Amino acid sequence: MNAQTPSAATLVGELSLGGGGPTVVVKDCIDVEGTVTGCGSRAFASQPPAARNADLVDALLEAGCRIIGKANMHEIAFGMTGVNGFTGTPVNPLCPDRIPGGSSSGSAVAVAEGLCDFAVGTDTGGSVRQPATCCGVIGIKPTYGRVSRKGLTPVHSSLDCPGILARDMDMLVRGMTAIDPTFVPEKLLHAPKLGRIKSEGVDAEVGDPLVYALMDAYPDMPYDILPSFEAAFDAGMVVMSHEMAQDFGPMLDQGAPFGLDIAARLRNARKITDAQRAEAEAVRTRFTAEVDALLERYDALVTPSLPTVPPTLAEAQDPQNVLSLTRFQRPFNLSGHPAITLPARSNAGLPIGLQIIGRKGEDAKLCAVARWITSCIPLFQSKDRNQ
């Protein structure tokens, strides 16, 4: 890919910070000293500039990276399409008529366009992994709490993780090493033991290529079940909405100019009761234990990244066409396990992907598993998806 002039809808601010290492863009909900943390929202556009860098920005600079811009995003990171009426919608380089994904839309597009070596996004319910799949790049959500959230908006979240998007595993690992000095790359000495999670509601256009590719490489890979998988998706929605209402509800009361869709989501989020939150936390405990138990038998678990190909921009105007996009991703925000998505193409050439989930704290091993898969399964090799 050749570097292009960044469009205003991809990067909302150009910077030149740091050394001569890899070029990086960071999502505009991450503080960079002296710049406004705009969060893709008119409500934040007139806020004072950040007084200091987010911890991960300091880590990037200390690692010698060069930060070249702030990436656009779905407003206040509260949406899955990446469509933004205030800052503009980044154009999906693979499929211009389809959503770029959200909420880390600009981060995914900047990587896919070749504007930077890697990008930093944030992932509360799939917000790194989903746009990565839509735009044909790799995305990782680390173990919850592994990478500092100090200097990120929203301030309070029991789900949100900073993550890396890149075009290949080498650069993704380099990005993880930069934002997390405790990350030590690993190599596998033998094929990983993988378990397929039985997933309902996957379109054949997505499921068939993934299943056949996995069967060719791992003919004996078993299916397994996470009994609380569906409940964890719903619980993740409850927890995220409850926490977003706590952070942004006071701004809504003060008349902050949120977009109509975001204002409506915040109003609905404020209706969540303490009893609903408590029930969601019980699901979190149960589901986390189920995932931990399954990972005692496997090196990693795999699911489709998305249940369908990304909807077109026109289709995405109907919420029913986007509500289930993160059904396989959001549960692992609830449980806190690291997850990575590898992009691929359907038989018709549309974006699809594989999600790989690892044990908590074993992010480097998860990356090693992903590298193994990209080395031995043609569907996930970059030469195939970029044609």
Side-chain angles (χ1 to χ4, degrees), residues 143 197 225-227 284-299 301 332 334-338 357-362:
T143 301
I197 301 304
I225 295 174
L226 288 169
R284 189 202 299 254
T285 300
R286 184 172 73 244
F287 179 69
T288 300
E290 291 172 5
V291 179
D292 286 339
L294 209 52
L295 283 168
E296 291 180 4
R297 295 162 46 197
Y298 300 106
D299 294 314
L301 311 174
F332 301 104
L334 189 73
S335 68
H337 292 84
I357 303 99
R359 301 185 190 101
K360 287 185 180 181
E362 296 189 6

Side-chain angles (χ1 to χ4, degrees), residues 39-335:
C39 298
S41 177
R42 192 184 303 275
F44 282 82
S46 59
Q47 295 289 316
R52 57 154 293 172
N53 290 329
D55 284 354
L56 71 83
V57 170
D58 281 337
L60 287 167
L61 296 176
E62 289 169 9
C65 297
R66 183 161 64 92
I67 300 175
I68 63 170
K70 300 290 290 288
N72 197 359
M73 56 184 285
H74 200 110
E75 185 175 4
I76 66 168
F78 204 19
M80 295 174 282
T81 65
V83 173
N84 191 312
F86 174 58
T87 53
T89 300
V91 177
N92 185 331
L94 287 187
C95 305
D97 65 329
R98 294 181 182 270
I99 63 168
S103 61
S104 302
S105 52
S107 297
V109 170
V111 171
E113 285 184 333
L115 300 180
C116 57
D117 292 318
F118 69 85
V120 181
T122 60
D123 191 315
T124 311
S127 284
V128 162
R129 292 161 289 156
Q130 188 246 30
T133 303
C134 291
C135 295
V137 300
I138 304 171
I140 185 171
K141 177 199 82 68
T143 301
Y144 178 79
R146 178 170 190 134
V147 181
S148 172
R149 294 194 68 259
K150 187 175 181 180
L152 273 61
T153 301
V155 174
H156 307 103
S157 177
S158 64
L159 306 171
D160 186 54
C161 305
I164 300 295
L165 303 95
R167 291 183 295 279
D168 58 56
M169 284 303 304
D170 286 342
M171 194 55 67
L172 185 114
V173 167
R174 192 163 181 181
M176 280 297 298
T177 304
I179 65 171
D180 176 13
T182 71
F183 183 96
V184 179
E186 295 183 15
K187 290 184 178 181
L188 297 186
L189 300 178
H190 52 77
K193 185 177 182 181
L194 304 177
R196 283 183 288 180
I197 301 304
K198 192 170 182 60
S199 308
E200 302 293 338
V202 182
D203 285 0
E205 184 176 10
V206 172
D208 288 354
L210 297 178
V211 168
Y212 294 140
L214 290 171
M215 286 177 62
D216 284 345
Y218 295 92
D220 299 323
M221 186 187 302
Y223 273 112
D224 231 307
I225 295 174
L226 288 169
S228 302
F229 202 16
E230 292 293 331
F233 172 77
D234 294 334
M237 289 287 289
V238 168
V239 173
M240 180 191 70
S241 297
H242 189 256
E243 292 178 344
M244 293 293 278
Q246 290 178 321
D247 261 32
F248 297 110
M251 293 180 65
L252 193 66
D253 291 339
Q254 295 162 12
F258 292 115
L260 294 178
D261 59 329
I262 298 299
R265 288 196 72 185
L266 287 172
R267 284 193 292 270
N268 286 332
R270 302 185 86 177
K271 298 175 183 177
I272 292 173
T273 65
D274 290 342
Q276 288 173 309
R277 176 63 188 265
E279 182 179 352
E281 291 297 341
V283 174
R284 189 202 299 254
T285 300
R286 184 172 73 244
F287 179 69
T288 300
E290 291 172 5
V291 179
D292 286 339
L294 209 52
L295 283 168
E296 291 180 4
R297 295 162 46 197
Y298 300 106
D299 294 314
L301 311 174
V302 298
T303 75
S305 180
L306 305 179
T308 68
V309 297
T312 64
L313 292 164
E315 291 168 343
Q317 294 181 34
D318 182 350
Q320 295 303 315
N321 291 328
V322 298
L323 285 176
S324 68
L325 281 179
T326 58
R327 65 184 301 174
F328 305 136
Q329 298 172 350
R330 189 180 303 277
F332 301 104
N333 292 88
L334 189 73
S335 68

